[in-house]
Amino acid sequence: MGARVARMFRNFNLENRVHREISKEKPRAAPRHKADLSRSSGGSESAETAELVSQKNAPLLGLLRSVYVESKDPAAAEASQEVGVETEGARRPLRFSLPGGHYGLVELSDVPRGKLTIAETLKALGSHQRQPQTWTLGKIAQEYSLDLKDTKALLEFFIPFQVHIIPPKTQSAKQIKAS
């Protein structure tokens, strides 16, 4: 219904509106700027300039070929040394793993330094929650070969799955009975 009303208003007096719009005077174009024809005429000056620009200067080209730039970034040198140290013992044996070879998962024997498996992460978090005095940031970082800042971020931001059962407010609410 709304489309019919909208179409009626859109088509109302359409022919008169079109004639009125066509009969209006068209706006005049802005006057053009008078161009300086002496510059664009292609005189001898522009030809000489174009020739000079496109010409190769042999002595400058030879000097350019002799330039050799050698850059040394101190940060990149430190990073390459750190990578070299890590590649020697880049992997560490697993501390804890779940039995699960028969579920189609590949049994891991070692992981890269600075990385944890899910099982190790949950074990480290659980140990820290149960005994925060013994399982400190430093001990977890040392035990699992982690950075101290990564360990701090792990304990602060990684929250394992938790189930909270909220009791009903009234006793007459529907409940699922155990079978």
Side-chain angles (χ1 to χ4, degrees):
M1 174 84 177
R4 285 184 182 175
V5 173
R7 192 177 313 119
M8 285 176 32
F9 280 113
R10 189 175 55 231
N11 294 337
F12 176 75
N13 204 11
L14 182 67
E15 194 172 333
N16 288 341
R17 287 187 288 150
V18 168
H19 282 296
R20 189 177 333 131
E21 199 62 38
I22 290 174
S23 65
K24 282 185 181 176
E25 274 191 43
K26 304 293 181 244
R28 289 186 15 198
R32 297 201 175 261
H33 184 69
K34 294 180 183 178
D36 189 8
L37 298 178
S38 62
R39 287 189 183 172
S40 62
S41 65
S44 62
E45 294 173 1
S46 63
E48 290 172 6
T49 307
E51 201 175 301
L52 193 62
V53 167
S54 64
Q55 189 178 44
K56 290 185 180 179
N57 193 340
L60 289 178
L61 198 57
L63 289 173
L64 183 62
R65 285 189 182 131
S66 69
V67 173
Y68 178 73
V69 177
E70 187 173 318
S71 175
K72 293 183 181 177
D73 186 13
E78 290 174 9
S80 66
Q81 288 174 355
E82 289 174 8
V83 169
V85 169
E86 288 180 11
T87 54
E88 294 171 1
R91 299 187 76 80
R92 64 170 181 79
L94 282 180
R95 300 274 182 211
F96 178 77
S97 64
L98 293 174
H102 54 278
Y103 292 118
L105 301 173
V106 177
E107 184 71 27
L108 294 176
S109 61
D110 59 348
V111 292
R113 290 193 184 274
K115 306 279 184 187
L116 290 175
T117 62
I118 294 292
E120 287 178 327
T121 305
L122 293 174
K123 176 122 174 113
L125 286 172
S127 300
H128 178 72
Q129 284 177 348
R130 281 192 303 272
Q131 300 169 339
Q133 289 81 19
T134 56
W135 286 92
T136 61
L137 285 174
K139 184 171 180 183
I140 293 173
Q142 181 184 8
E143 187 78 17
Y144 294 102
S145 304
L146 296 172
D147 263 352
L148 201 58
K149 65 176 184 141
D150 292 339
T151 308
K152 182 179 178 185
L154 174 77
L155 294 177
E156 186 177 347
F157 298 114
F158 190 91
I159 301 169
F161 182 71
Q162 296 176 351
V163 176
H164 294 285
I165 299 174
I166 302 170
K169 292 182 180 177
T170 62
Q171 294 295 333
S172 63
K174 290 184 180 178
Q175 294 184 2
I176 298 175
K177 305 281 184 190
S179 58

